[in-house]
Amino acid sequence: MSLNSIEDIATYIVADGKGILAADESNPTCGKRFDSIGVESTEVNRRDYREMLFRSKGMKGNIGGVILFDETIRQSADDGTLLRDLISDQGALPGIKVDKGLQPIEDCPGETVTVGLEGLDERLKEYATMGAKFTKWRAVINIGDGIPTNKCIDANMEALADYAKCAQDNGMVPIVEPEVLMDGNHSIDECYDATERSLKSLFSYLKKKGVNIKGTLLKPNMVTSGKDAEEQAGINDVAEKTLDCLITNVPSSLPGITFLSGGQSDVLATAHLDAMNKIGGFSWKLSFSYGRALQAPALKAWGGKLENIFISQDELSHRAEMNKLASLGQWEEKLEDR
Ligand code: 13P
């Protein structure tokens, strides 16, 4: 692959229906995932689990990039191969999460701002020497009584734009992730409103800070009902409202939109993506950057046991293949029966 510019890198990651495997859970988040299967979250267990994922057959041709956590980009497999080299061997690019998590905002109860700009340039320089080709920063927007406030949206989107500029100046593609959480009992229209306000603010800051949109990927939430809402929007409603919101607010020069799954079940995340690609009518690639929706069945099948490696890898490969088909609008529910 000849990747001479950030524009080439961004295009490569989402070419031919490929998407991103988000494997950048922080150690506490990984601990929560491992708790659910009764496995202790040690450095070796995290390494073994991720090594298994990265060696899965279904990585090839379906996954264009893998987002890593700081610990993982430095780790080697049992046989001494760097995990990041396993990823490259599968034809995917290694990327790295570079934000430093959430901090409460003064006078904005229930709201946070993502931090990590301090020392970012030095961290990015080191990651570039390790072969990272892209980076990710996640901002979190909560829906609730009187929130999100404009103060919270703007603080988060300005930080995202500062980060994106710094990543590009270091030769890496920024994935900008403004995640409107599914937590709560809000309606799909309230999610639309919070997502639209976030995207408008984000793209105005990206422009203001001189970020090259052609060398950027957007990782948004889909427009859905809140997780605890009594009335849940159906697949077509989610697909139509999400597309409408993106077409209205995202420049057509952006090479790719790669959704987060945000707590949707694995098959529903695939069905939503497929429905949008079947509707069509947009210029960006519309693909996936799923964490839970790619990993959940593999994690469960693994259960921390060596003898389960192959069935676990089959689970990851299956989800990767299904999501690639969804990115091309070629998924069908019956393909899930195996
Ligand atoms: P989920 O797909 O599990 O939401 O994770 C994606 C991610 O990278 C969150 O930052």
Side-chain angles (χ1 to χ4, degrees):
M1 47 177 129
S2 87
L3 300 170
N4 298 318
S5 66
I6 51 170
E7 298 179 10
D8 287 351
I9 294 168
T11 307
Y12 177 86
I13 292 171
V14 291
D16 310 320
K18 282 183 294 183
I20 297 171
L21 167 62
D24 60 324
E25 298 85 2
S26 64
N27 291 347
T29 303
C30 200
K32 274 193 244 161
R33 306 277 186 266
F34 279 17
D35 279 350
S36 73
I37 52 162
V39 172
E40 200 188 340
S41 177
T42 62
E43 187 174 341
V44 171
N45 286 344
R46 290 190 293 271
R47 193 275 312 269
D48 287 349
Y49 171 65
R50 286 166 170 152
E51 174 180 348
M52 172 189 75
L53 295 182
F54 304 158
R55 288 188 191 273
S56 301
K57 282 199 188 74
M59 289 276 297
K60 209 163 231 155
N62 300 316
I63 301 294
V66 180
I67 318 175
L68 301 171
F69 186 59
D70 181 78
E71 175 182 275
T72 322
I73 200 168
R74 301 171 192 278
Q75 275 175 327
S76 296
D78 215 17
D79 67 3
T81 317
L82 283 162
L83 293 190
R84 56 189 202 247
D85 290 342
L86 291 181
I87 292 167
S88 309
D89 290 347
Q90 296 276 27
L93 303 177
I96 182 85
K97 166 203 177 82
V98 299
D99 67 69
K100 292 277 191 187
L102 315 177
Q103 249 177 32
I105 307 179
E106 214 180 316
D107 299 330
C108 294
E111 300 195 296
T112 58
V113 64
T114 301
V115 294
L117 291 173
E118 208 182 301
L120 178 64
D121 191 55
E122 291 76 49
R123 297 206 304 284
L124 290 174
K125 286 191 165 44
E126 188 194 7
Y127 291 137
T129 65
M130 292 176 173
K133 298 289 178 220
F134 69 98
T135 59
K136 186 197 92 169
W137 178 292
R138 172 176 175 255
V140 174
I141 303 296
N142 256 302
I143 299 179
D145 217 7
I147 63 173
T149 59
N150 288 338
K151 180 175 171 180
C152 165
I153 289 179
D154 289 343
N156 274 295
M157 302 310 141
E158 183 167 18
L160 264 173
D162 283 331
Y163 135 76
K165 183 74 176 80
C166 197
Q168 292 191 337
D169 288 346
N170 281 289
M172 291 178 282
V173 165
I175 298 188
V176 289
E177 179 179 12
E179 175 173 6
V180 176
L181 292 181
M182 285 175 75
D183 297 355
N185 58 5
H186 51 267
S187 67
I188 186 167
D189 292 333
E190 286 170 282
C191 178
Y192 187 111
D193 180 64
T195 305
E196 172 157 68
R197 286 166 60 205
S198 302
L199 292 174
K200 278 195 196 309
S201 173
L202 173 61
F203 283 98
S204 106
Y205 277 114
L206 290 176
K207 193 168 173 201
K208 197 157 133 194
K209 308 269 175 182
V211 174
N212 174 3
I213 296 296
K214 291 185 185 164
T216 303
L217 294 171
L218 172 68
K219 175 165 176 165
N221 52 286
M222 294 180 196
V223 175
T224 64
S225 313
K227 199 164 73 197
D228 303 323
E230 248 168 58
E231 201 185 318
Q232 287 291 318
I235 293 173
N236 284 336
D237 205 13
V238 168
E240 279 168 16
K241 290 209 160 91
T242 304
L243 271 187
D244 185 69
C245 190
L246 292 172
I247 289 169
T248 313
N249 296 293
V250 178
S252 55
S253 56
L254 188 89
I257 296 180
T258 57
F259 289 107
L260 59 94
S261 58
Q264 295 180 36
S265 78
D266 46 353
V267 175
L268 195 56
T270 305
H272 284 148
L273 179 61
D274 180 67
M276 285 184 250
N277 278 299
K278 283 197 165 87
I279 295 170
F282 41 84
S283 51
W284 354 269
K285 298 277 185 199
L286 203 58
S287 178
F288 57 94
S289 174
Y290 295 159
R292 283 162 287 179
L294 273 172
Q295 293 183 45
L299 181 73
K300 201 165 153 217
W302 176 56
K305 298 198 176 79
L306 207 56
E307 66 262 32
N308 293 336
I309 282 185
F310 293 116
I311 51 163
S312 174
Q313 287 181 324
D314 277 351
E315 293 292 345
L316 180 80
S317 295
H318 177 65
R319 289 263 51 86
E321 283 165 28
M322 293 298 102
N323 284 306
K324 178 188 179 153
L325 289 173
S327 297
L328 298 168
Q330 294 170 2
W331 174 80
E332 287 171 68
E333 196 169 359
K334 65 172 194 267
L335 298 173
E336 298 289 350
D337 304 329
R338 291 181 297 150

